[in-house]
Amino acid sequence: MTGRIEDRREEWDGPVPVPTGATAPFWAGTLEGELRYQACDCGHRQLYPRAVCTACGAEDPPFEASEGVGTIYTYTVCHVPGEPGFAERTPYVVGAIDLAEGPRLLALLDAEPDDLEIGAAVGVRFWQVSEDAAIPVFVPE
Amino acid sequence: MAEPILAGVAESDLGETPDRNWLDNAAVATVRALEDAGCSLDEVDGVAVAGGDDYMPALVLSEYLDLDEPSFLEGTEIGGSSFEHFCGHVRDAMARDEADVVVVAYGSTSKTGPGRDQSLEETHPIDGFVRPTGLFRPPGAYAMAARRHMHEYGTTEEQLAEVAVATREWAAMNPKAAQREPITVDDVLESREIAEPFNLLDCCLVSDGGGAVVLVSEEKAAELGVPEIAVAGVASTSTHRQDVSEMPDMTTTGAAVTGPKAFDQAGITHDDVDVAEIYDSFTYTALVTLEDLGFCEKGEGGEFVSGGTTAPGGELPMNTQGGGLSYCHPGHFGVFVLIEAARQLRGDYEGDRQVDDAEVAVAHGTGGLLSSSSTVVLRRES
Ligand SMILES: [Zn+2]
């Protein structure tokens, strides 16, 4: 699945990811609308990307594309901005998303707080925030 | 095994210390704690320090105090639980006769010091996954864990608020506490929203300040003639670091591991515990830690803290100085739970603030984003 990419480079003044080392393939994927996770030959799946598999120790476990869907494990509605560039955005929602493939990641939830609940299905979109990266953002399915 | 004796404790000035840096506060707390122990600076042969703004804090503090070739140096940084963690290392060092007098110190200027580095330059691969979410950490991270707990166990915002209310009752009796006005559950629920489900009064305050404890060998304690407050059990662990997304289960902390180990070492059960000093960076931190330490069943923390269980006169006096929620919180609160536990066991207070005949105290530190956990059992030897 390919998630829709919205170009937010003009308006984004929050932190931007800096692709380095093991994370570079992940961020390259986001520019193609693909949410990648590491799927080791041993069967273990992980995010954030690392130079080793935390299950078997294999170096540079390969990436696979996620379907880009998952469920909300938990979330918070932020009334106080935690980073530069977020003051105008409050209140905004940050969730911990369990991808269907297993890995969990933190992400912005682009939704009204009242529409959210733990366990709800969400799908990924991408906001391109720099030349090098688009951040995954989830919306209710 | 020989048990270190907690011979002296002290805070530096708390609140706002614009004319002091972290090191000044750590050093002031240290000399006050030494005075409390009846011990001189030149008797110190070990230093354990965490936090602060320096890369090598143990070296910096040793130099600042002009220690004469200390034999024990410890600067492990595991956040707010570092000081409880140090107690185990000090015990080991003393068992090897490496040191007789160790200061465990902390200082900060969290309130008036320079702000947090807002540089966007990546320092760790996970930063690109966390910082662009804008999550206000630590409150937002703890709030996410609290919401999951509410979802799984039916814990309510009112129950979380009960922790803050009981803690404020203790703070009202502590002249050093920053916030002493009584509050109600409604006050907590109506205070400014920070990161749902947390309101302002679910969150610890931010202050400057430092604290120190002096740990000495049994022989040294006998020489000093101090009350024998022994480190009877200590255990540490971590579950993750960078963010709560890496926490295996947001409703269970490392205290579920460290509590049983420390209790077992000390040979105590929950019924033996007279006073609990439990890291309370947020209301949820204390609630989930009480569960994980086994003071109630998993999921029943909300019920346990309701109705004044941890308030003055309650079944389990907790955070009897007012905690991080009302007394002070200069970043790493862990040293202050040790200080208060020792004072309760020594019987330093009068009236309602003193827990009657306190012989066993649990001091628990939490660090990072619910990431590290260290439990210490202190026992007054009769
Ligand atoms: Zn593997």
Side-chain angles (χ1 to χ4, degrees), chain B residues 121-182:
Chain B
E121 192 180 329
E122 187 171 21
T123 56
H124 186 282
I126 201 176
D127 288 354
F129 291 79
V130 174
R131 295 197 54 196
T133 69
L135 185 65
F136 179 34
R137 295 179 294 166
Y142 282 77
M144 290 171 90
R147 187 187 294 281
R148 183 71 197 185
H149 197 279
M150 292 165 71
H151 172 78
E152 286 193 25
Y153 298 112
T155 309
T156 65
E157 292 187 37
E158 286 79 4
Q159 290 170 333
L160 290 169
E162 290 266 15
V163 174
V165 171
T167 309
R168 183 63 63 85
E169 283 187 49
W170 287 108
M173 294 187 277
N174 180 3
K176 292 178 185 166
Q179 303 288 338
R180 303 181 61 197
E181 289 292 307

Side-chain angles (χ1 to χ4, degrees), chain A residues 18 74-76 79 83 92, chain B residues 122 131 134 144 147 194 196:
Chain A
V18 180
T74 186
Y75 65 97
T76 183
H79 293 266
E83 296 286 348
Y92 55 91
Chain B
E122 187 171 21
R131 295 197 54 196
M144 290 171 90
R147 187 187 294 281
I194 301 295
E196 296 179 28

Side-chain angles (χ1 to χ4, degrees), chain A residues 40 42 44 53 55-56 58:
Chain A
C40 184
C42 77
H44 180 66
C53 168
C56 75

Side-chain angles (χ1 to χ4, degrees), chain B residues 46-69:
Chain B
V47 57
V49 58
D53 304 325
D54 279 282
Y55 174 44
M56 294 182 250
L59 303 188
V60 172
L61 185 62
S62 296
E63 178 202 274
Y64 191 101
L65 297 172
D66 196 17
L67 299 185
D68 182 18
E69 296 178 3

